[in-house]
Amino acid sequence: LFPNLALPFGIEIALTGIVYLGVGYLWNTQTEYWKEKFHKHSKYIFAASLTLCLIIAQLNFQISGYHIDFRINRYDNYFLFYTAAFSGILSTLALSIWIHHNRILEYIGKKTMILFIFHTVLFVYFTKIVTVLMSWDTINQIRSIYIAPIYTLAAIAIILGVDYLLLKSKVLVWKKF
């Protein structure tokens, strides 16, 4: 109702985010029957919820003309926003249940602080490279679908590769996190 409302400490954003806390609490209090079904059908839930998330997110983008931004309280259609968000959450939960343990993902998870620190530096250089190679029209057309996953995989590979080399070399003092 009040898209330009700015309360102290981002309380207006917290009011939107509290919905996730409530749904998480309700999910956690559900019977074991539904949790067992969720575990049993995680592959199908993953495929269906990821497809739904992508379709609704694209629909919301087509209607509004810009991306949803939680940081600045820009959601457009709340029904589409929450539907896409919860289907994305379901797909993430289903994927984590489906793959269960994965040494590569566990290694990446242990290195999240390093990734968190250095990914913005890489983003600046990656953006410069992409803008040199492509026009802004092309970037805007494919940005949401292809560039983000490519950037993510490239950033993980580069940062973890440098981390590995620094740990193996004795040139610099590099602390294990």
Side-chain angles (χ1 to χ4, degrees), residues 112-123 151 155 159 174 177:
T112 53
M113 187 57 72
I114 294 169
L115 293 168
F116 178 71
I117 293 168
F118 293 111
H119 83 279
T120 53
V121 174
L122 282 179
F123 181 73
Y151 161 73
I159 293 169
W174 188 252
F177 285 97

Side-chain angles (χ1 to χ4, degrees), residues 126-156:
F126 184 76
T127 303
K128 288 181 182 179
I129 291 168
V130 169
T131 55
V132 167
L133 297 175
M134 296 182 216
S135 69
W136 279 107
D137 291 335
T138 306
I139 292 169
N140 286 331
Q141 289 174 356
I142 64 172
R143 173 177 49 196
S144 62
I145 298 173
Y146 300 111
I147 290 187
I150 291 170
Y151 161 73
T152 302
L153 294 175
I156 289 171

Side-chain angles (χ1 to χ4, degrees), residues 6-14:
L7 298 173
F9 308 112
I11 293 172
E12 74 281 1
I13 298 168

Side-chain angles (χ1 to χ4, degrees), residues 16-87:
T16 304
I18 197 79
V19 173
Y20 301 108
L21 182 69
V23 170
Y25 175 79
L26 292 174
W27 170 263
N28 199 36
T29 60
Q30 289 302 306
T31 63
E32 291 300 317
Y33 172 78
W34 289 110
K35 290 181 182 179
E36 181 182 320
K37 291 289 186 188
F38 191 84
H39 281 262
K40 185 177 179 182
H41 301 292
S42 62
K43 293 176 187 176
Y44 305 113
I45 293 170
F46 169 71
S49 59
L50 181 63
T51 303
L52 181 66
C53 177
L54 293 174
I55 289 170
I56 291 177
Q58 187 63 30
L59 176 66
N60 201 7
F61 177 75
Q62 294 296 324
I63 291 170
S64 68
Y66 52 83
H67 294 284
I68 301 304
D69 196 337
F70 202 80
R71 296 170 299 154
I72 61 171
N73 208 24
R74 182 173 64 191
Y75 311 107
D76 290 332
N77 184 316
Y78 281 99
F79 175 76
L80 294 177
F81 166 71
Y82 280 117
T83 305
F86 284 118
S87 61

